Amino acid sequence: MDERTMTAEERMTAEERQKVLDEITGGVDTKEKTEFTSGQTQDEHTPGELLEMYRSSNERRSASEIKTYKTILGILCAIVAILAVAVVVVSVGWITEQGTVVTEIQTVEIPTVVTEYIAVDPTSEYDHELSEDTFTLSDSNYGTILMYALQNVGKNEYDETCFTVDEETGYITYDDGETYSIMGIDVSVYQGDIDWDAVKAAGVEFAIIRCGYRGYVTGTVNEDANFRANIKGATEAGIKVGVYFFSQALSVEEALEEAEFCLDLVDGYELDYPIFFDWEVVIDADGDTARTAYIDPQQLTDNFLTFAARVEIDGYTAGIYANKKTAVWKYDLSRVDDYMMWFAGYSDTPTLYYDLQMWQYSSSGTVDGIIGNVDLNIAFVTR
């Protein structure tokens, strides 16, 4: 071929083509340049062909990088999803541990009347009421304590001479001509499986059944394991029923939660007796301190009134279960005098100074149909 007829590309020397290639490729090494040629020597291609091959190589690398990024992103999304599920599981577990969740809270009005308690440490020991306006309590630290009675709160006016104790069974009855007693028991899971027909035949006319409790350390709200079997068996046997809930509420919000819990359990049942609020001082053998060990009377009274107001919204009545010290020291009785008092005191006559409508007089009674001990009660009825 005549040199005059050669094109500019044909006249370009190998050295010049190398220089152009370096400018196009940015100085990639010989191996990568060889890849651009797909097995052909770089001298066999024009700069335009080399540029096109470089662009194709870049596109392939970009596609590979994008695929890698997508893979990494997918892994990250999966990790985030797993963490989200873990958070939900932990949250549900925590809520379950804390107790039943109240999905709807109704606001109730709480009375605010407060009456001061006056306690006098006596200089000598008393074993009887000093006057119509005073009475005594025994305390393990202070001995006998003189208490001034609250004004405008009903007093215990039952005639002590009208209480009769059956020497064989230990059952107590009352009859003063105008007021008489009927026999009852209170039960929980600790009484095991009960033959309610036999209980009825033994003369039991009413039963107060534990429906649930709040843990005094954990604070969780729980159903009594035998509640459903007990309320079903008692009602089918023709025994009148009420229920009680062991409270360890620290606030009116927790008391409301407990009331909601009780209402869910008794839904569908006709109760002849109240839903009782059972708060007690807990002394744990293992040394655990109950969560309400130091609750003040104002808070405890507020808690009960909130509980009572809520169950009344659904047409039930409320009552208080308490022993003498709890009734006198831990409740403002001037604010709860309208509610049924279920008094716990183990003696031949009820020793509470204030009025009561039901009396638990023994924790070691025996009744046909129940294996082991059971609490014995009487309710007072006016003719």
Side-chain angles (χ1 to χ4, degrees):
M1 178 184 296
D2 193 306
E3 185 176 339
R4 289 173 297 182
T5 63
M6 296 174 61
T7 65
E9 291 181 349
E10 289 171 340
R11 288 197 300 271
M12 185 179 293
T13 65
E15 182 178 349
E16 291 171 338
R17 282 196 296 272
Q18 181 63 45
K19 182 177 180 181
V20 171
L21 179 61
D22 288 342
E23 291 176 354
I24 294 171
T25 63
V28 295
D29 60 26
T30 304
K31 180 178 179 181
E32 288 177 326
K33 294 171 189 175
T34 303
E35 291 174 354
F36 296 157
T37 63
S38 303
Q40 299 178 5
T41 63
Q42 57 186 349
D43 290 343
E44 296 175 350
H45 300 281
T46 66
E49 292 173 333
L50 292 173
L51 178 60
E52 182 60 30
M53 286 186 286
Y54 173 69
R55 288 175 177 169
S56 298
S57 177
N58 272 347
E59 289 176 357
R60 288 194 299 273
R61 281 204 303 272
S62 296
S64 177
E65 291 174 354
I66 290 172
K67 183 177 181 181
T68 300
Y69 293 151
K70 287 182 177 179
T71 301
I72 294 173
L73 181 60
I75 293 172
L76 290 175
C77 288
I79 292 173
V80 170
I82 292 172
L83 290 175
V85 171
V87 169
V88 171
V89 171
V90 171
S91 299
V92 171
W94 183 85
I95 291 172
T96 302
E97 174 62 21
Q98 298 309 304
T100 303
V101 177
V102 179
T103 57
E104 182 179 351
I105 296 179
Q106 294 180 263
T107 302
V108 295
E109 184 177 352
I110 302 171
T112 57
V113 177
V114 178
T115 301
E116 292 185 359
Y117 289 92
I118 302 173
V120 178
D121 188 9
T123 56
S124 60
E125 189 171 301
Y126 299 94
D127 59 2
H128 61 279
E129 296 175 5
L130 299 180
S131 72
E132 293 181 355
D133 298 318
T134 62
F135 59 94
T136 60
L137 288 176
S138 296
D139 181 75
S140 58
N141 294 318
Y142 289 93
T144 303
I145 297 174
L146 175 65
M147 301 292 299
Y148 283 86
L150 296 171
Q151 297 298 318
N152 302 318
V153 176
K155 307 301 188 291
N156 175 358
E157 297 181 350
Y158 298 110
D159 185 344
E160 292 186 357
T161 64
C162 295
F163 288 94
T164 303
V165 180
D166 187 303
E167 297 296 334
E168 182 178 348
T169 63
Y171 297 164
I172 294 179
T173 57
Y174 180 84
D175 195 334
D176 64 7
E178 295 182 358
T179 302
Y180 66 98
S181 66
I182 59 175
M183 179 182 178
I185 59 174
D186 61 272
V187 298
S188 69
V189 66
Y190 298 111
Q191 276 64 56
D193 295 331
I194 298 174
D195 181 346
W196 286 101
D197 289 328
V199 170
K200 174 67 173 177
V204 172
E205 297 186 56
F206 71 91
I208 310 300
I209 301 167
R210 187 175 77 160
C211 63
Y213 61 96
R214 185 187 290 274
Y216 63 84
V217 174
T218 64
T220 59
V221 176
N222 309 274
E223 177 182 339
D224 184 286
N226 281 18
F227 168 68
R228 297 175 193 273
N230 282 336
I231 194 169
K232 182 175 183 293
T235 53
E236 288 180 352
I239 296 174
K240 296 180 178 180
V241 296
V243 302
Y244 74 94
F245 183 89
F246 178 80
S247 172
Q248 285 288 288
L250 291 172
S251 63
V252 293
E253 289 78 15
E254 288 191 347
L256 185 59
E257 178 187 11
E258 293 174 353
E260 296 281 2
F261 188 79
C262 291
L263 291 171
D264 285 342
L265 291 177
V266 301
D267 185 36
Y269 289 100
E270 294 290 335
L271 300 184
D272 303 287
Y273 286 84
I275 300 176
F276 286 98
F277 185 83
D278 172 18
W279 180 90
E280 303 175 33
V281 175
V282 178
I283 302 174
D284 189 275
D286 296 328
D288 292 328
T289 300
R291 67 202 308 264
T292 61
Y294 304 106
I295 193 169
D296 62 77
Q298 180 75 21
Q299 185 64 63
L300 181 60
T301 304
D302 286 349
N303 289 353
F304 166 70
L305 289 171
T306 301
F307 182 94
R310 178 63 191 93
V311 301
E312 287 171 349
I313 289 174
D314 282 19
Y316 296 96
T317 59
I320 292 175
Y321 170 87
N323 62 19
K324 188 191 302 184
K325 289 183 180 179
T326 299
V328 173
W329 285 345
K330 300 302 287 187
Y331 283 103
D332 181 352
L333 294 180
S334 66
R335 298 173 63 197
V336 301
D337 192 38
D338 292 335
Y339 293 93
M340 187 171 186
M341 174 61 70
W342 176 16
F343 171 62
Y346 305 147
S347 58
D348 291 343
T349 61
T351 58
L352 181 66
Y353 178 81
Y354 298 102
D355 195 17
L356 62 144
Q357 292 75 44
M358 198 160 72
W359 176 32
Q360 181 189 86
Y361 61 86
S362 175
S363 60
S364 56
T366 57
V367 173
D368 290 344
I370 298 176
I371 299 175
N373 293 336
V374 64
D375 296 337
L376 299 177
N377 301 266
I378 58 174
F380 296 97
V381 179
T382 301
R383 282 188 170 88

